[in-house]
Amino acid sequence: MKAKETKTWIPLTLQASLDSIPIVVKAEGEFFWDKTGHRYIDGISSWWTVIHGHRHPKIMEAIRDQTSKLDHFMMGGFLNEEAEALSEELLQITSTRFGKVFYSDNGSNAVEIGLKIAVQFFENKGGLKDRERKSFINFSASYHGDSIGGMSVSGPSYFNRIFKDLQFEVQTLPAPNCFDCPFFKKPETCKVECMEAVQTLISESPERFAGIVVEPLVFGAAGMKFYDKKVLDKLAEIRKQYEILLIFDEVFTGLGKTGEQFAYQHSQVIPDILAIAKGLTGGTLPLGATLVTSQVYEAFDSIDPMKAFFHAHTMTGNALACRAGIASLQVLQSETFAQINGLSEQLNLLGNQLKSYHPSLIRDNRTLGSIFAFEVNSSEIAEDEYLKPIGKRVAKDLWERGVCLRPLGNTIYICPPYNIKKDSLELIFDSLRIALDRL
């Protein structure tokens, strides 16, 4: 079927495309099958969610068990045991640096909740200057979702261009990128010059800003752009100097992707607000969470209704999703987290071998935890980086060989389930080598 022939509106797909839409009917481990019976390797964990492989038996069993007890009950003024238990688990794996967990159902909402909390935090503090803190600082390579708030704090892109007039005010600064430094620095000479603009901007009008929003260590959807943890250290210094909030979007990087439970744990920097979602239930059910420090929560701890955070979603704290989240965290702790180092070593080894086959075609090989990426050198020009056609050609060739990747323009990346089998990983790289041969 073509996209325009379906009753379902297929997202991120040109509706008049002549390409057939695969119908997925089954999945297990790192594999999925389409309606024709063909098997494929899920090399990107279904948009970075299926971190333990599809249908992990312990998570599926937990969901089945939960269906016999409680499906859903509204959380406005109520609580269920599964939500509370998951909150306890999340606070534990973040080293009890946070005080409360606020649930939603996806990453965009988790981020948007964090933005609203940040603004109201300063409003609740009650100072005249605090109440002027309505704006945010973000970075040009950032992506924080497709809601109005998420788009507002994302960098300008093909995705949000049409809705610019709907977005609220932010100050977007050049993103750090240690593989393509805008200041032409090497790691040994870097003094975090890329953060000087942040310091200057806030110093000129510190009363304007509620927070700095950033994806720690990796700008994911913008092309897997890596940067050093020194950037987080510098942001923490700026936060302390100007009493601004740090909001970390770990929707992508959280829950093991970078080799730590959370990317911020590579440093000593603790954000004031943390957004997580992808991977939280192992890709089984929709769930997002926004964690806040006790200091942030205290600004809302009042009987004054004007200080209450009036925000909720219909399915907030869904018991089935939270039970899946508990099981997913248990699998992460007991099984798959220990496999990330080995996966990272394999990605690095196979990536270097791939580059040896195509030294002039591959640029900026990089690996962090379960993430591997590189750019394909190309003279192709497109309106937006995401639209460069070379990635689509590579993806089509890989699909024919039973491998599913979704390149970001000319950025090719692999982010498989943590427990992917070695031969499956080797097949991805072998298929990539052949696909690059054909360019």
Side-chain angles (χ1 to χ4, degrees):
M1 298 175 72
K2 310 294 189 294
K4 63 182 179 181
E5 297 170 343
T6 68
K7 303 303 181 187
T8 304
W9 192 324
I10 310 297
L12 296 184
T13 301
L14 298 178
Q15 298 303 298
S17 171
L18 297 178
D19 293 337
S20 294
I21 301 296
I23 299 176
V24 179
V25 297
K26 178 184 173 183
E28 185 173 0
E30 68 265 38
F31 303 108
F32 65 95
W33 287 259
D34 67 13
K35 196 172 183 179
T36 67
H38 288 94
R39 189 184 76 170
Y40 302 88
I41 300 172
D42 185 355
I44 56 170
S45 306
S46 288
W47 270 342
W48 323 329
T49 61
V50 188
I51 57 178
H52 316 298
H54 290 276
R55 296 174 54 241
H56 191 286
K58 292 183 179 178
I59 302 175
M60 302 310 292
E61 177 57 34
I63 294 171
R64 282 191 291 269
D65 180 68
Q66 184 62 36
T67 61
S68 67
K69 301 175 183 177
L70 175 64
D71 50 0
H72 179 68
F73 197 86
M74 61 180 180
M75 194 167 270
F78 295 88
L79 179 64
N80 63 67
E81 292 179 336
E82 291 72 30
E84 182 69 1
L86 179 57
S87 295
E88 291 175 358
E89 290 284 342
L90 288 171
L91 296 179
Q92 182 64 37
I93 67 171
T94 52
S95 304
T96 63
R97 299 299 181 94
F98 296 91
K100 288 283 184 175
V101 179
F102 196 105
Y103 289 110
S104 55
D105 55 5
N106 63 68
S108 296
N109 282 333
V111 170
E112 190 135 353
I113 287 165
L115 301 177
K116 291 177 68 175
I117 288 173
V119 170
Q120 191 173 343
F121 167 78
F122 287 106
E123 178 74 23
N124 285 0
K125 287 181 68 177
L128 188 61
K129 289 187 176 180
D130 285 332
R131 288 176 173 170
E132 299 300 316
R133 292 179 181 258
K134 307 291 187 184
S135 188
F136 295 89
I137 292 172
N138 71 325
F139 296 95
S140 57
S142 59
Y143 172 78
H144 299 289
D146 293 332
S147 62
I148 297 300
M151 289 192 297
S152 296
V153 294
S154 296
S157 74
Y158 181 77
F159 291 91
N160 58 24
R161 73 201 187 287
I162 292 175
F163 310 104
K164 185 176 181 180
D165 292 341
L166 299 178
Q167 298 169 31
F168 53 74
E169 178 200 2
V170 299
Q171 292 294 317
T172 302
L173 298 176
N177 183 352
C178 290
F179 281 83
D180 188 15
C181 177
F183 294 89
F184 307 103
K185 295 289 184 176
K186 300 294 183 184
E188 59 272 15
T189 62
C190 171
K191 296 183 180 179
V192 205
E193 287 86 351
C194 55
M195 291 297 102
E196 291 177 1
V198 179
Q199 179 94 37
T200 300
L201 179 62
I202 299 179
S203 67
E204 291 173 349
S205 51
E207 70 283 352
R208 287 177 57 196
F209 299 105
I212 302 170
V213 188
V214 66
E215 299 163 82
L217 300 189
V218 184
F219 293 107
M224 301 297 167
K225 302 182 189 303
F226 292 9
Y227 63 90
D228 195 89
K229 64 181 180 180
K230 289 187 290 187
V231 171
L232 303 183
D233 295 334
K234 185 62 178 177
L235 288 175
E237 290 178 17
I238 294 170
R239 168 183 59 181
K240 183 176 181 180
Q241 183 176 357
Y242 297 102
E243 297 183 336
I244 197 170
L245 296 182
L246 265 185
I247 303 170
F248 283 179
D249 175 354
E250 294 230 31
V251 170
F252 167 52
T253 55
L255 300 166
K257 297 284 194 339
T258 66
E260 295 286 350
Q261 301 273 12
F262 295 92
Y264 77 82
Q265 292 172 335
H266 287 273
S267 70
Q268 300 300 313
V269 178
I270 308 298
D272 302 286
I273 299 172
L274 177 70
I276 60 176
K278 293 181 185 291
L280 185 51
T281 67
T284 57
L285 290 168
L287 186 64
T290 307
L291 283 65
V292 301
T293 61
S294 297
Q295 179 187 6
V296 170
Y297 174 72
E298 285 168 5
F300 298 83
D301 185 11
S302 170
I303 60 171
D304 182 354
M306 298 303 292
K307 291 189 175 183
F309 185 55
F310 285 108
H311 183 108
H313 296 278
T314 303
M315 302 302 289
T316 291
N318 174 264
L320 290 169
C322 288
R323 181 67 184 276
I326 295 166
S328 179
L329 291 183
Q330 290 172 346
V331 171
L332 182 67
Q333 304 300 319
S334 64
E335 297 178 29
T336 55
F337 187 72
Q339 296 171 298
I340 297 173
N341 283 342
L343 172 59
S344 187
E345 291 174 1
Q346 282 294 306
L347 288 169
N348 195 51
L349 174 64
L350 293 169
N352 288 335
Q353 291 176 356
L354 182 66
K355 177 156 177 80
S356 71
Y357 287 116
H358 299 284
S360 61
L361 194 58
I362 292 177
R363 172 169 52 88
D364 296 340
N365 256 27
R366 53 198 183 273
T367 305
L368 180 63
S370 68
I371 310 163
F372 168 79
F374 65 89
E375 273 68 53
V376 179
N377 283 320
S378 171
S379 58
E380 293 177 336
I381 298 175
E383 183 181 351
D384 185 90
E385 192 78 22
Y386 183 79
L387 299 178
K388 288 186 176 179
I390 195 166
K392 286 186 172 60
R393 295 203 300 273
V394 171
K396 185 176 181 180
D397 200 319
L398 291 171
W399 181 259
E400 293 172 354
R401 298 179 182 282
V403 173
C404 178
L405 297 184
R406 284 183 64 95
L408 300 163
N410 71 324
T411 300
I412 313 296
Y413 76 93
I414 302 169
C415 189
Y418 303 152
N419 53 2
I420 186 173
K421 299 180 184 65
K422 183 180 178 182
D423 57 351
S424 294
L425 197 61
E426 290 173 346
L427 179 58
I428 293 175
F429 278 90
D430 286 342
S431 300
L432 259 179
R433 176 179 58 79
I434 294 170
L436 294 175
D437 283 341
R438 295 185 170 187
L439 292 179

